[in-house]
Structure formats: structure tokens, C-alpha cells
Amino acid sequence: MTNTNDLLTRGVKEIVVKKNLEKALVSRKRLRVKLGLDPNIPDLHLGHAFNLRKLRAFQDLGHTAVLIIGDYTATIGDPSGKDKSREALDATITRANGKLFLEQIFKILDQSKTEVRSNSEWFSKMNFLEILDLASKISMEHILSHETFRQRISRHQPFFLHETFYPLMQGYDSVMVRADIELGALEQKFNLLTGRRLQRAFGQKEQDVIMTDYLLGLDGKEKMSKSLGNFISLRDSATEMFGKIMSIPDSAICHYFEMCTDMSESEIKEFSKQIKAGEGKAVKIKLAHQIIKIYHSAGKASQAEQEFEAVFSQNQIPDKIYEHSFGAKKISIIGALIESGMIKSRSEARRLIEQGGVKIDGEKVSDENTVVNLSRSKVLQVGKRRFLRITK
Amino acid sequence: MTNTNDLLTRGVKEIVVKKNLEKALVSRKRLRVKLGLDPNIPDLHLGHAFNLRKLRAFQDLGHTAVLIIGDYTATIGDPSGKDKSREALDATITRANGKLFLEQIFKILDQSKTEVRSNSEWFSKMNFLEILDLASKISMEHILSHETFRQRISRHQPFFLHETFYPLMQGYDSVMVRADIELGALEQKFNLLTGRRLQRAFGQKEQDVIMTDYLLGLDGKEKMSKSLGNFISLRDSATEMFGKIMSIPDSAICHYFEMCTDMSESEIKEFSKQIKAGEGKAVKIKLAHQIIKIYHSAGKASQAEQEFEAVFSQNQIPDKIYEHSFGAKKISIIGALIESGMIKSRSEARRLIEQGGVKIDGEKVSDENTVVNLSRSKVLQVGKRRFLRITK
């Protein structure tokens, strides 16, 4: 992915200003490329990894990666695309999460070529007058041009004054690190452009911004996110990653190749044909290998495949198994066995669990009070040969 | 002015919530009555004095006067009623002005019963997270209900994010001093009601607010203000005050009695009759005595009258003199003499000045380069008997 073409096209939705950026990239100047991540959660997931890998590609071209841990911005939370206000997070939580981020980030970035900054570094030192001065650089006309804010107002949805500060703070980060380029999701467009505005107000050259697509979650439908539970954490073990990747629907496989691997467009086209020819499972195994080798190693990927096969394939999960939806996010294991029709009575369910005859995703259920999280589909197994894919 | 009726009616435009306030006043509870003054200028003028005297009346009834020197709010400036943003003031200026305020304030308030607080006391200690928390208490729906803000937006007039903080800061002052009542100009209504909102958000009882009329300037037309130059400073000498009061038009005399003195309504009605009967000058002299005795003494008032009479009346200024308007705020003394037609040539003008034959408001002009400030009307005199009232 280190050729310039791929860099500015793969997973990229919009660039401002493209001509400037192209000129800068051929100028041989060492550029400061900024990416901000808000530690409002402890885990980074594959969705975050896309821009981190884009940033790594800039590093490989000799540019400086400037990674902002948004421990102050995380306390507010980016209002972009949200239809309500979020409760403010305590700064001690965001600081703790920020520390957890680092080990995950350096699975992707080259630590020796990365400048890591927390935005508490400058925001914690600002007093009221300095904050008012910062606020005086941004017109309300600009603030109210934010689509999210406009929608909140017109729909009478909750919208509080502190939220207008989020774009300002993300923008001020660009001033503080003198960013030449900022990477961000398309939905952050307003914040990214506010950075350009503030850099201009502070007499700096405006950054160019690369706005990227988002990664679909394991369900292949919604955006990958912690709150939807449809994510692969960068902290997941190789085995967990393997299992999760094997659970994505065939329709999302090529999207994952595009967003999460270095496979070329022509290779991905080839995979697409194989999936259509019914070889979805085989292609998914290749996808799992590609992804796992980035966060663990090729060896761990093979090991994870063997484990997976040992549990599932040797248990002879048929390629096609029936599905049952519960219409709920969670269900008790006994409820799942009875409602799905696999077992007739609660006492039989309890006895089977006690005897070790019930498995979820190949793992024995030992506690009859187990609650099954249905945020992603799971394979429920009774005895050796009865399988059912259960979903919410 | 210490009877409760006068307190809640004289110069009062609106009260929120009147019933609560009336109940509180008869409860014999000692109330905390807040008034904020922004030291964005070094001088307080008679316009400010109205609310200070109202506050003094509360003191005389046994309540606690809480005077906020808005050294932090003054850096932004109250946007209420303004159609453009103001350049932010340096906090060192507002702090210096704040000190000058004190001597002027205690010409009216009883120092021993006054709690003076600068809002820098709390605002200078707040960090970014605390400021964001404060901002999170106020919805954008409320901010955008401010008429001034709505007008700025609809007319595309300058309006910057920091200005939304002014009402928030004035309101937070009420939280910090636990105000029971706040006094303010009617045009500050939005800020005063934001105080109630913030007190509620911080679990306090909401203050009642008394919104007052404004004082007309010396021109009898515009609101008294430093920037229009139509003001009587509380720092003016008795002589200066006397001269300025004598310059107000007859139409404004009763308004000044109402807003600047303790004369009763019936006395003022009597003055009104006398003015209509052509005794404007005599009534104005009474007004000057009433005002000057508050800020200086009855003795100084008499002395100022004598000086005034010595300069003007003994110079036999006719009761009715001609006027000339220049359509400019300033004019050179020679320009004034020639344009008004009093003198024919520049050389004659220079000779007359040299001989001491030209006076402004009774004072000899000794420098031919003198520039006459026309922010208020002045009497130009040539020789013993030629008078002209000059205005901009």
C-alpha cells in the first residue's frame, strides 16, 4: 500500500485540497501527518486500524507520523453524526485508556518514527482567558454550518454549548503540532476543516485533509464500533480474531480485504470470483491469515486456524447450518436451548450442560446460568451432531 | 427611595419573579442582592449610578449588597444589544479599572455593608475541563434564543463563539455568590435569566431579577454612555457636574430627577409644571444641587453654582442664544469661529484669541490650535456680548 496512488485512493472518500497534497507528496519535503484517536474506550479495533495503517504508509514514505491521544477531547466526545449529547467522561478514565492505546498503536506504527502527543499537554495548561481567545477565532456562522449541529437544532435534539468546543479542540491540536496533513473519517469533515480555519487564524499554513471510509462490523451491516459489539479489538488474541473473522458474512469479505489488508485490487477481484463460486469459507481463512499476521504473526495465524479447525471442522459443523434469531441481545443458555427447539425441557437442558454436552462456538458450557451475548452470531452445539447458528 | 414600593417601581421595567420577590422582601430574611459592573472603562457614570443607588436602598433595608467587579466578563464585553463583536480587552486593563471603580462605588454604597467580589476570583482558577462542564449546563437552544444572537445570525453580522460565554459567566457569578436577587438593565435580561438557569443546574434556589430602565445622556436623546461622550462621570468635580447638568435639554430634566435623585414623584410633577412655565434654568439648578450633594456635598454644590454663575450669568449669556451645528464631532477653534460666521477671517480669529477675546463655556481660549470637542454642546463667546451655542 506504499505507492502514492493507493495512498490517496484506497478507502479514501474525499481530499481537501487534493492538488496541494499531491504537490507536497512529490516535493520530497518531510510532512507532518496527524491522526487523532480519542481514548474514550480502552480498545482500538480494526476500524481505527485503517487510518493507523494509512499513517504507517506515510511513515514508510519517510514522513513523520504525529499521533494525538485525545485525552481531553475524549471527555466531551465527538458530536459528529450523533443525535444526542453524551455524558462527559472523567479525565482519569481517558488518561488510563490513553496508556492502553499505545501498545495497540505500535502493532501498526513504527514507534521510532512516531511523535505521540496527548492533547491534555496543551489543554490542561490553558486558562479561561486563553480559552476565550481560542473561541474568539471561530464564528458562530461556522459552528452552525455543522450538519450535525444544524440537525440537532432543527429536530430539537439535545445539544449543549460544550459540544461546540469539540471541533475547536480537534482543530487546535493541528495548530499545536503544525500538521501538514490530517487523516480522519469522512464524518469528521467539519472538525478537520475547522483545523484548517484555526491554522489560518494562527498564521500557519493550512493542513490538507484526507477523509476516509469506515469499516463495516462483523455483522457486515453497521459501522464497526465498540458500542454495537461488532468489533475485532487490536487486543484480541489470534484465536479470537480468527473466530470473529470466520463469522463475517460472505458479502463483507472483499470489503475487509480492501480495508484491513495489503492485498492488491486484482487479488481482491480474484477472491470475489471465488466467493461467488461458493468458496467463501476458504477465502475467509485467507483473510484471517492476512489480518492476524499484522497484529500477531503468520505463525500465530496458522496456529489459530488449526485450533479453529480442531473445534469446528473436526466436530463436523456442516457448511450449511440452520439459524435461529431471538430478537434480543442476550439470552440465558437454557432459554436459548429451549426457545430454539433444540431441547424440550429445562431439566434436560441442565443435565446436558452438566454432562458437558453443550458448546458455544466449540467451547463447553459448564455453568447453567451462562448468559449468551448475541451481539454477533454464535454456533450452539448439542451433542456431537446438532448445530444451530444463533443470532439476536 | 427606601420604601418598598418605590424600590420595585421607580425606573423598574420588569421583575422576574415579582411574587417571589415581594414575598422575600416581607419575610425579614436578609437577602443577597447582586449587581455586576464590568470595568471595561475607568469611569462609572450616572447611568451606572442608578442601579448602585437601587442597591444602596436594599442596604438601607438591611440586605447584603454583593457587588461583582466583572474583570473577567469585561474582557469579552456584554454582547447584549450590540450588532458586532468587540475586540477582547486585556485583563491587566480590566483589573486596573476595577480598582478605580471602588472609590466611585463607595460614593453611593455603604462600604461596611458591601461584599465586593471580582469574578477573576473564580474564573482565573477554572481549568478547561471545569469550563467545559459549565458550558455543558447550557443548551444551544437557550443560547440561540438570545435576541441579540438571533439578530446577528439572521443579519450575517459578526458573532464569535466566545461571545456565547458572556451570559454564562454573568450567570455563574450568581451561582458563586448565591444571589437571591440580581439587579440589571433590561437589555441584560438574557444574562440575568441565564443566572437563574445555572443556579437551578447547580442545585440552588433561583434568583429573582429586577430589570431597570437606562438613563438618557446629556443630549437627552441617546443612552448615557462613555463611547457617545454624553456622560457625567462619578469622578467629575462638582464644577464639571454642574456645567454638564446645566447643558441638558429641558425635556430631560424630569427624567434625571426620576433616575438620579431621591425627589418624590409629586415634587417631580411640580418641577414639570415649572419647566413648562419657562423656569427650566431654575429647575435645572435644583437638579444639579440634588445630584452633586450625592457625589460631593451640598456645600460643593453651592460653590459650583456660584462659579457657574460667575462665569456664565455675570457674562450675561442671554437665556435664548443662537445655535450652530457643524456635522462633525470635533472642529478647530478657528474653523468654528469662521464656519459659524462669528468672525470673517483667520487672521482676525487669531488676533482675537491672542487678545483673550474668545471663550468656550466661559473659559478663555489661549491656544489658536485648540480643537473643540462637540460631543456635547458648548457656548462659544466672542468679546463680551456675542454668544453662540455650538453642537456637532
Side-chain angles (χ1 to χ4, degrees):
Chain A
M1 199 165 126
T2 49
N3 83 65
T4 308
N5 249 352
D6 242 15
L7 191 71
L8 302 189
T9 54
R10 192 144 161 181
V12 172
K13 300 289 277 187
E14 193 180 340
I15 295 178
V16 174
V17 180
K18 195 166 181 184
K19 269 189 187 167
N20 291 351
L21 180 54
E22 284 168 343
K23 212 187 283 176
L25 284 172
V26 297
S27 75
R28 319 197 96 210
K29 200 191 139 195
R30 192 174 187 153
L31 301 168
R32 294 175 63 73
V33 189
K34 173 196 168 200
L35 173 66
L37 293 172
D38 275 0
N40 50 321
I41 46 169
D43 290 73
L44 288 169
H45 57 58
L46 277 190
H48 301 113
F50 178 72
N51 278 335
L52 281 165
R53 292 178 61 250
K54 191 68 97 181
L55 189 56
R56 168 69 196 234
F58 276 99
Q59 283 188 321
D60 290 344
L61 288 170
H63 302 294
T64 306
V66 184
L67 195 101
I68 310 283
I69 304 288
D71 53 352
Y72 256 56
T73 29
T75 62
I76 310 180
D78 188 353
S80 299
K82 305 282 194 308
D83 60 8
K84 55 172 182 267
S85 302
R86 198 199 71 189
E87 190 79 20
L89 269 188
D90 193 285
T92 54
I93 295 173
T94 66
R95 264 196 300 272
N97 288 341
K99 279 181 193 159
L100 292 175
F101 268 23
L102 293 182
E103 53 174 300
Q104 300 170 65
I105 283 162
F106 292 123
K107 287 180 179 174
I108 298 171
L109 294 184
D110 179 343
Q111 186 160 3
S112 68
K113 291 177 189 161
T114 307
E115 191 176 309
V116 178
R117 312 284 291 270
S118 295
N119 57 17
S120 59
E121 201 184 305
W122 37 92
F123 290 127
S124 69
K125 287 177 197 145
M126 280 176 95
N127 65 29
F128 210 143
L129 295 176
E130 289 164 333
I131 291 162
L132 289 172
D133 180 59
L134 176 58
S136 76
K137 312 279 192 214
I138 292 291
S139 72
M140 285 302 285
E141 195 169 1
H142 175 66
I143 291 287
L144 298 175
S145 72
H146 191 350
E147 203 187 326
T148 299
F149 292 159
R150 274 209 318 272
Q151 280 187 4
R152 291 251 200 108
I153 291 169
S154 69
R155 294 176 187 168
H156 301 284
Q157 289 165 336
F159 174 24
F160 293 90
L161 180 58
H162 70 297
E163 296 177 272
T164 62
F165 267 78
Y166 191 95
L168 209 63
M169 291 168 78
Q170 181 172 338
Y172 191 62
D173 288 346
S174 293
V175 173
M176 292 311 290
V177 304
R178 296 185 164 267
D180 295 307
I181 300 172
E182 180 164 5
L183 284 173
L186 181 63
E187 70 166 18
Q188 289 192 296
K189 182 171 182 175
F190 183 83
N191 307 339
L192 296 160
L193 297 185
T194 300
R196 289 171 54 85
R197 226 165 237 263
L198 281 176
Q199 286 182 311
R200 196 166 59 231
F202 282 92
Q204 292 183 14
K205 193 181 80 55
E206 294 160 72
Q207 64 188 6
D208 296 312
V209 302
I210 301 175
M211 291 165 269
T212 56
D213 204 355
Y214 59 81
L215 181 68
L216 290 173
L218 298 174
D219 50 20
K221 287 172 195 158
E222 306 270 9
K223 181 181 162 189
M224 181 173 282
S225 89
K226 165 110 183 183
S227 56
L228 294 175
N230 62 357
F231 69 108
I232 296 176
S233 166
L234 302 194
R235 299 162 81 195
D236 281 347
S237 69
T239 309
E240 285 169 312
M241 284 188 179
F242 206 101
K244 286 182 179 178
I245 293 166
M246 293 309 288
S247 81
I248 65 171
D250 285 1
S251 61
I253 299 175
C254 288
H255 171 69
Y256 271 71
F257 268 118
E258 175 99 10
M259 299 289 285
C260 309
T261 76
D262 289 336
M263 303 302 274
S264 71
E265 296 298 325
S266 57
E267 286 168 310
I268 296 172
K269 213 169 260 176
E270 192 51 43
F271 290 137
S272 172
K273 281 182 203 159
Q274 294 172 20
I275 295 162
K276 276 181 198 139
E279 297 170 48
K281 191 181 163 196
V283 176
K284 249 195 284 193
I285 289 172
K286 283 184 188 148
L287 174 66
H289 275 269
Q290 287 297 321
I291 292 177
I292 293 168
K293 77 174 185 188
I294 298 173
Y295 303 100
H296 298 282
S297 65
K300 288 263 186 183
S302 299
Q303 204 179 312
E305 183 188 353
Q306 281 165 24
E307 279 176 40
F308 184 83
E309 293 294 338
V311 172
F312 283 86
S313 306
Q314 290 176 18
N315 275 339
Q316 295 166 331
I317 302 183
D319 265 9
K320 183 77 188 165
I321 58 175
Y322 291 99
E323 274 202 15
H324 185 90
S325 299
F326 289 96
K329 283 186 182 168
K330 289 174 180 179
I331 190 160
S332 69
I333 180 65
I334 292 178
L337 290 166
I338 292 171
E339 276 188 41
S340 66
M342 289 185 99
I343 306 279
K344 290 274 173 294
S345 73
R346 298 182 75 84
S347 56
E348 191 194 344
R350 279 198 205 93
R351 196 177 57 245
L352 270 167
I353 291 169
E354 208 178 314
Q355 294 170 349
V358 175
K359 293 179 182 173
I360 294 171
D361 282 355
E363 278 188 32
K364 264 185 205 158
V365 175
S366 52
D367 179 356
E368 63 177 59
N369 296 313
T370 297
V371 172
V372 188
N373 185 334
L374 296 170
S375 56
R376 61 183 183 86
S377 70
K378 294 193 168 152
V379 174
L380 183 60
Q381 181 181 356
V382 175
K384 292 246 168 197
R385 300 188 189 276
R386 290 162 63 207
F387 296 92
L388 185 70
R389 187 180 303 276
I390 57 176
T391 62
K392 67 179 167 188
Chain B
M1 199 165 127
T2 51
N3 81 63
T4 308
N5 250 352
D6 241 17
L7 192 70
L8 301 189
T9 53
R10 191 142 160 184
V12 172
K13 301 289 277 185
E14 192 180 342
I15 295 178
V16 174
V17 179
K18 194 167 182 186
K19 271 188 186 169
N20 291 351
L21 180 55
E22 285 168 343
K23 211 186 286 174
L25 284 172
V26 297
S27 75
R28 318 198 93 213
K29 202 192 138 194
R30 192 174 187 154
L31 302 168
R32 294 176 61 74
V33 189
K34 173 197 167 197
L35 173 66
L37 293 172
D38 275 0
N40 50 319
I41 45 170
D43 290 73
L44 286 170
H45 56 59
L46 277 190
H48 302 111
F50 178 73
N51 278 335
L52 280 165
R53 293 178 60 249
K54 193 66 98 183
L55 189 57
R56 169 67 197 236
F58 276 99
Q59 282 188 322
D60 291 344
L61 288 171
H63 302 295
T64 306
V66 184
L67 195 102
I68 310 283
I69 304 286
D71 53 351
Y72 255 55
T73 28
T75 61
I76 309 179
D78 189 353
S80 298
K82 305 282 195 308
D83 61 7
K84 55 170 183 268
S85 302
R86 200 200 69 189
E87 190 79 20
L89 269 188
D90 193 286
T92 55
I93 295 174
T94 67
R95 264 196 300 272
N97 289 341
K99 278 181 193 159
L100 292 176
F101 268 22
L102 292 183
E103 52 173 301
Q104 301 170 66
I105 283 162
F106 292 124
K107 288 180 179 176
I108 299 172
L109 294 184
D110 179 344
Q111 186 160 5
S112 68
K113 292 176 189 162
T114 307
E115 191 178 310
V116 179
R117 312 283 292 271
S118 296
N119 58 16
S120 59
E121 203 182 302
W122 37 92
F123 290 128
S124 69
K125 287 177 196 145
M126 282 175 93
N127 65 30
F128 210 141
L129 295 177
E130 289 163 333
I131 291 163
L132 289 172
D133 180 57
L134 176 57
S136 77
K137 312 280 192 213
I138 293 292
S139 72
M140 285 302 285
E141 195 167 1
H142 175 65
I143 290 287
L144 298 175
S145 72
H146 191 349
E147 204 187 325
T148 299
F149 292 160
R150 274 209 317 273
Q151 280 187 4
R152 292 251 199 108
I153 290 168
S154 69
R155 295 176 187 168
H156 300 285
Q157 289 164 336
F159 175 24
F160 292 90
L161 181 57
H162 70 297
E163 296 177 272
T164 63
F165 267 79
Y166 191 94
L168 209 64
M169 290 168 80
Q170 181 172 338
Y172 191 63
D173 288 346
S174 293
V175 173
M176 291 311 288
V177 303
R178 296 185 164 269
D180 295 307
I181 299 173
E182 180 164 5
L183 285 172
L186 181 63
E187 70 164 19
Q188 289 191 297
K189 182 170 182 177
F190 183 83
N191 306 339
L192 296 161
L193 297 184
T194 300
R196 289 171 54 83
R197 224 165 240 263
L198 281 177
Q199 286 182 311
R200 194 164 63 232
F202 281 92
Q204 294 183 13
K205 194 182 79 57
E206 294 161 70
Q207 64 187 7
D208 297 313
V209 303
I210 301 176
M211 290 165 269
T212 56
D213 204 356
Y214 58 81
L215 181 69
L216 290 173
L218 298 174
D219 50 17
K221 287 174 196 156
E222 306 270 8
K223 181 180 161 191
M224 181 173 281
S225 89
K226 165 108 183 184
S227 56
L228 294 176
N230 60 357
F231 70 108
I232 295 176
S233 166
L234 301 193
R235 299 162 83 195
D236 281 348
S237 69
T239 309
E240 285 171 311
M241 284 189 179
F242 205 100
K244 285 183 182 179
I245 293 165
M246 293 309 288
S247 82
I248 65 171
D250 285 0
S251 61
I253 298 175
C254 288
H255 170 70
Y256 271 71
F257 269 117
E258 174 98 11
M259 300 288 287
C260 307
T261 77
D262 288 338
M263 303 302 274
S264 71
E265 296 299 324
S266 57
E267 287 169 309
I268 296 171
K269 213 168 261 176
E270 194 50 45
F271 290 138
S272 173
K273 283 183 202 157
Q274 294 172 19
I275 295 163
K276 276 180 197 141
E279 296 170 47
K281 191 181 166 198
V283 176
K284 249 193 290 192
I285 289 171
K286 284 184 187 149
L287 174 66
H289 275 270
Q290 287 297 320
I291 292 176
I292 293 168
K293 78 175 184 187
I294 298 172
Y295 304 100
H296 299 282
S297 65
K300 288 263 187 184
S302 301
Q303 202 179 311
E305 183 187 351
Q306 282 164 22
E307 279 176 39
F308 183 83
E309 292 295 337
V311 173
F312 283 86
S313 308
Q314 290 174 18
N315 274 341
Q316 297 164 330
I317 301 182
D319 264 8
K320 183 77 189 165
I321 57 176
Y322 292 98
E323 273 202 15
H324 185 92
S325 299
F326 290 97
K329 283 185 185 169
K330 289 177 181 177
I331 189 160
S332 69
I333 180 65
I334 291 178
L337 290 165
I338 289 170
E339 276 189 40
S340 65
M342 289 184 97
I343 306 280
K344 290 273 174 295
S345 73
R346 299 181 73 84
S347 54
E348 191 193 343
R350 279 198 205 93
R351 195 177 58 246
L352 271 166
I353 291 168
E354 208 177 315
Q355 293 169 352
V358 175
K359 292 179 184 174
I360 294 172
D361 282 353
E363 277 187 34
K364 264 186 205 158
V365 176
S366 53
D367 178 358
E368 64 175 58
N369 295 314
T370 297
V371 172
V372 188
N373 185 334
L374 296 171
S375 56
R376 61 181 182 89
S377 72
K378 294 193 167 150
V379 174
L380 184 60
Q381 181 182 357
V382 174
K384 291 249 167 194
R385 303 192 185 271
R386 289 161 65 205
F387 295 94
L388 185 71
R389 188 180 303 277
I390 56 175
T391 62
K392 67 180 165 184

